[in-house]
Amino acid sequence: MAAFVLALVLPFAALVMRGRYLAACGALILQATILGWPIATVWALVAQRAGDEAPRRPSEP
């Protein structure tokens, strides 16, 4: 839940938590503009959801 709130408020920080440093830099640049903030937020939420679903996938032999 905290990661979800962080993705809404500070999208770049949520991406850093996932280890996606280049994406975090891109999100930080988008956050510099008011119009880019929603895009960065959606980007961070998608990355957060993908990271949450990743452990559930079965590993390949």
Side-chain angles (χ1 to χ4, degrees), residues 29-41:
I29 291 169
L30 283 172
Q31 283 180 244
T33 65
I34 297 299
L35 295 175
W37 194 288
I39 296 168
T41 301

Side-chain angles (χ1 to χ4, degrees), residues 4-31:
F4 176 76
V5 173
L6 189 64
L8 289 175
V9 178
L10 296 170
F12 80 94
L15 290 169
V16 167
M17 285 176 48
R18 288 286 175 196
R20 301 184 65 189
Y21 302 112
L22 190 59
C25 290
L28 190 58
I29 291 169
L30 283 172
Q31 283 180 244

